[in-house]
Amino acid sequence: MVKPAVSAGARDTARYEPGRGADAERHARMLLDQGRTAMVQPYLPLVAEGERALVFFGGTFSHAIRKQPLLTEAGLIDNFRVPHPGAAPYEPSEAELRTARAALAAVPDPGDLLFARVDLALDEAREPVVMELELIEPNLFLRINPQGLERFAEAVAAALAVGR
């Protein structure tokens, strides 16, 4: 998979089948020529079962969603697709929560984060792995989880109270 380091809704992102390395390289070169940072990461086939997004406020887990796969056609950059198809509330497993918390623990002063989103998928052994750690994220799926909106407001108020 090739994608820009800064993007939303898989904009300018595509996955490539084995043997299509030249196409992936052209994609990365296009991003670099635009002055953007290109990221290359393995495509996890079990993302077909859904990507999980775990949202944290002030370092505390708030809510999660699960969405359907986005990159359904190999080699296609489609900037007009629905960015989060089938997004619905999701109850993460203990392993998913542990993985997300470990990702946040790698951030210097994670308690200082007002919000964070950890995107996970399952690897071949069905273990959760981090796909993205979103620390500057416009979509926290607050419409899908009304309690998340309340928790976010509480986190903002708490951050203001301590002068962060």
Side-chain angles (χ1 to χ4, degrees), residues 49-126:
E49 295 180 6
E51 182 178 327
R52 294 89 159 127
L54 282 66
V55 178
F56 292 78
F57 298 128
T60 302
F61 173 71
S62 171
H63 61 280
I65 63 102
R66 185 174 180 173
K67 54 189 172 178
Q68 297 168 349
L70 191 60
L71 304 176
T72 55
E73 188 174 336
L76 178 66
I77 299 173
D78 177 3
N79 290 334
F80 299 101
R81 63 184 149 227
V82 174
H84 304 289
Y90 176 70
E91 189 66 37
S93 69
E94 284 302 316
E96 290 167 331
L97 285 167
R98 269 193 313 276
T99 301
R101 288 183 176 120
L104 290 175
V107 175
D109 295 323
D112 286 344
L113 296 174
L114 179 58
F115 58 84
R117 192 180 92 199
V118 184
D119 292 348
L120 306 172
L122 300 179
D123 66 11
E124 298 79 22
R126 304 196 66 77

Side-chain angles (χ1 to χ4, degrees), residues 22-23 25 29 37 46 48 56 58 72 84 89 103 106 110 112 122 136 146 148-149 152:
D23 293 336
E25 187 175 336
R29 177 57 50 203
T37 301
L46 290 179
F56 292 78
T72 55
H84 304 289
D112 286 344
L122 300 179
I136 305 171
L149 181 59
F152 181 59

Side-chain angles (χ1 to χ4, degrees), residues 118-140:
V118 184
D119 292 348
L120 306 172
L122 300 179
D123 66 11
E124 298 79 22
R126 304 196 66 77
E127 293 295 325
V129 294
V130 175
M131 294 182 60
E132 295 179 343
L133 176 57
E134 302 283 359
L135 303 178
I136 305 171
E137 174 57 45
N139 196 336
L140 300 171

